[in-house]
């Protein structure tokens, strides 16, 4: 069958570990027709972009608001654009952004893959219930994409590698 | 002007304090034409409803899943039904549910009022940026509803009370 | 909290057993604010309605088409109207109607509860994966509705009955 | 008239005969600007993909669920993407997937062509009633696409071949 | 099953015969829970309403435009509101309004019943192909509604009348 | 024909003249089944509601923002709810609110009636082009509603009054 | 400003004159970035395509139905795809197709340009009222596209040609 | 991460200053993957396009209407197409168009950046409340796009320039 389709996958959530890079590497190695999109992942830029561009605020609350609304242009556009949304919850911090993005994606009917350690399972049960899959490692996300896009299963790839 | 409209307000989030009751009391005292809707707020029922009805699971993960998907019938239906969604973040726990609901409501274009203490302001800046108002106390939510529905301002009400 | 909401539940699928009546009885006994809606469940009327009203056809194919399109006015309207769609697969027949209705409901974002014996589990795995719950007995559907609508759990109801 | 448009056609249903290949061959021979998309058609991969990637399950029910939800990412995305959905019902098996896909496509307003032998006509009458055409042979699907896309009729093509 | 639902049926098209009254009579006699809605059916009011209210126009073209846009408030609102749209083509005139309404209803996914004599069959084949049923007499529309709403078939009603 | 429908009409725009009262009076005198909805029309409350409820702001910009976002809960909900949106442009002020509401209503496909003096015709030509009617006096809006809802024309009513 | 956008314009209606060719020629001469799409315009193919591909029918009614539903795959897909829909009413025939397409396009919010002689003005007043422009000659449609896409006005082009 | 995405940005509003050119220059200098789209900005063409193409009108009102409806084909299509809508309010004129476009974009859920001097802040507070950012200078719009699209902050760019 002809398979010219490219898939767009948005990578939401944690910005303090290398999970995005591991997915990027895996997608490249597997040769998948995937465009990865992300929020701005430089923490201080994400915090300060609003005031850096539109002028300083005395109040931290409005300082934050200006940045958050600017970030929302990017994140909500890219989520709407995505075929699949991966939402990563790391081991630290509140990460309410990530859960917000998951809810946003769910209401739009986007397929979701969550990525988090088992210790978050109970706290994330409603989020996971809205997802198509729950991954523990970024490589599982790559395998899922390889299967969804090209029908490749881990076994098949192993054999192909021989 | 004729004002026969009833408003439906969904109260999402924290279940360990009396904030819903304070809103319910305030709405009743103000005589507002509001139907308040909520998730199931009995913690253990919300956790165990799935297996209690559809049968036990050996795995905690699927135990949780069965409950979460049953809860989702209620929560997502009521959020879709709501005119306004109030999302409360308390002082403890991850509360990813609440952030998920906020994202879900935002993608549906529902007006959101968040309700949380200032110490969460930075962590919730993206959620607040998707909201129409940020309240600190449940009574402010009632005042906001009184204004939105009937044009009453706190001052106006004070004068009216004289 | 105020709970004036009525729920509409569409009962799709098998017409050769008493599962709809058992749900109707259960809903009445539990006093749930539920309107149950159904397809026309008289088999021969459902088959022959088209030609009975609009005139006979020589060809069985178009005889069937005339009936099916008339039935579709009812079924698709009521599915669009429903808050929850219950889809029953009995032990016999192809029941492609039921699976079609499930797909239709899924694409509209309707919460689905499937109702079928375990021997169909594998064949129905894609349909079940689009559902919020899989029930084995009609009484479980009633319990699920009682929980979703009023927060009642089987245990709670048992205690209340003492 | 300028005719740069490519059409995307999703081929849903039976995986035990060569009907997809016959459509693929026909589309290629006719030189149609069509991208054909399909579910994963390797039966065991489609069954086991979930556990192969995300880990084994003790219960067959959840084993199936994990696979079905992963497959749903692909199938629902490709159906949403399609201009036309072809749904094939073969001579054996329940094939509830196929009927589910037809319902899903119908609710999205996608044009549907069903492909099945006459002995299924009565059982599929509601599905056929939601379709734009009922084909018996894959070559008829190709002819339909040739007509829809380029205005070619079987006669016209015969003449062109002289 | 509980059947509290009222159905709204919009009656579009010809204004020079008594077909609407015959449907109204039939619906009343059958005791159907139906609200019938219609365009304004007084021909000259429908033509002149715009200038009568908003002021005269020198040009017939804009005279017509003012009326047509006012009528559109009513017709498009009522079509959007309707559960079923009946479109009548009489024996005379262009009746492009009726065909326009049918297309409008079709794009909204509304079930359509057309009502016209056989001599229009070929000219209306695309419109009929978008309809769920083609009636020849208003009484057939009533029978179709009786079946769709309450499951009554002509035979059943005949027997009930004995 | 049965005509149980109530219509909801949102009155947007100018708050410094009695045009809403004139429409309200006219609707009551004509006995129309209309619910009129409006923004909060007390100017200072509309300006200060945000800070009155949620706390003062040092900056006028954020003072305004807090009020505007609270007002938006009301105005956008009521516009979404409306069957018809009337937008009044008075003789003074920028009235960008009114034009914003007109654009908002237009994108939602709501029928619009604008109400303004001829001197604004050229400046409002794009807004008027998105409207179904342009009225000069509030009484014309009432006549338009009387016609749209009940088919009454000014002449007809005059005759009826004899 | 960068203007890489291509526009898709669907040409609906009359098939017995050369209006499509005149638009095609004009668009080519003006070098507009336009893809023109059309129904199948060979009359007998459009009538007989269904039975030619899927088998003969004894009844003319179902013969027509099979063709009409096949044509609908093309026409409805291309209308949904279009940026602008041009609807031509010629001097003869009922042309209910054209009016149906106009209604279909209107409900989807597509900009419409009608093209017809003045003698149809009154009969088409509701259709014209849903259109953005009413043209008399195909060349006016080309000029409208040239303006809409590139800002060219007839005068401007004349000057440029000197 | 792969970033092949192009962004489309619609520039609505004032046509009497060089703000669009300054954004165009900035976007080019920053090498952003942006397609800028605009209304027709030649004032007299925008006023007279309708009559120039479709024929003169005696009445200025309908002269304006013909032009405005033709312009609407372009503006509403391009707003629907846009990822971001920038709305500029200059120092003079009513500029109701601009506010209408902002409302139109808001109802479609488009991210909005307003661009206006502080003296308009109070009059534009509802429009600004629907926007993601309020800019004072065109260069801030460019910086915002550079950040949203590529994560570049003004500081980063300064460093890069060294």
């Amino acid at each position: 069958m002809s398979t010219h389709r490219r898939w767009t996958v948005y990578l939401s959530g944690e910005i303090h570990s290398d999970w995005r890079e591991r997915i990027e590497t895996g997608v490249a190695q597997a040769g998948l027709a995937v465009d990865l999109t992300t929020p701005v992942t430089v923490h201080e830029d994400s915090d300060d972009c609003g005031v850096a561009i539109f002028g300083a605020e005395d109040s931290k609350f409005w300082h934050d608001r200006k940045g958050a609304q600017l970030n929302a242009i990017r994140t909500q556009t890219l989520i709407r654009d995505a075929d699949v949304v991966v939402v990563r919850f790391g081991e630290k911090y509140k990460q309410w952004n990530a859960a917000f993005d998951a809810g946003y994606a769910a209401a739009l009917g986007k397929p979701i893959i969550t990525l988090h350690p088992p210790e978050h399972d109970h706290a994330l049960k409603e989020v996971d219930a809205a997802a198509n899959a729950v991954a523990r490692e970024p490589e599982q996300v790559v395998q899922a994409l390889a299967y969804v896009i090209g029908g490749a299963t881990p076994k098949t790839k192993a054999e192909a590698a021989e």
Side-chain angles (χ1 to χ4, degrees), chain A:
Chain A
M1 300 296 128
S2 44
T3 54
H4 303 314
R5 191 182 201 283
R6 289 191 71 79
W7 290 65
T8 300
V9 178
Y10 184 76
L11 305 177
S12 168
E14 192 204 13
I15 59 173
H16 300 97
S17 74
D18 66 347
W19 70 276
R20 282 189 186 82
E21 286 69 26
R22 286 165 63 188
I23 290 178
E24 191 178 22
T25 302
V27 160
Q29 287 177 342
L32 302 178
V34 167
D35 291 320
L36 298 173
T37 57
T38 71
V40 171
T41 55
V42 180
H43 194 163
E44 64 267 37
D45 289 349
S46 158
D47 273 5
D48 301 332
C49 59
V51 296
I53 294 171
F54 297 107
E57 290 293 328
D58 293 335
S59 143
K60 180 74 167 94
F61 182 85
W62 296 116
H63 174 115
D64 279 353
R65 172 65 55 90
K66 273 174 138 171
Q69 288 202 306
L70 192 56
N71 285 313
I73 298 180
R74 177 182 176 111
T75 57
Q76 293 179 8
T77 300
L78 295 181
I79 292 176
R80 287 183 180 275
D81 239 32
D83 296 305
V84 179
V85 176
V86 179
V87 188
R88 163 71 182 166
F89 294 86
E91 286 165 37
K92 294 187 293 188
Y93 307 108
K94 294 290 188 186
Q95 306 182 81
W96 282 322
N97 273 1
F100 180 87
D101 283 358
Y104 196 89
L108 298 177
K110 300 288 177 186
I112 295 168
I113 300 174
T114 59
L115 172 60
H116 59 79
E119 57 264 37
H120 286 339
D121 279 2
H122 186 63
L124 282 171
K125 69 185 200 291
E126 275 83 9
V127 178
D128 286 349
N132 285 60
V134 178
R136 303 307 185 191
E137 299 296 335
E139 286 71 26
Q140 290 174 308
V141 175
V142 176
Q143 289 179 333
L145 294 175
Y147 176 75
V148 163
I149 295 171
T153 60
K155 173 178 51 91
T156 303
K157 291 198 302 182
E159 286 169 352
E162 289 177 19

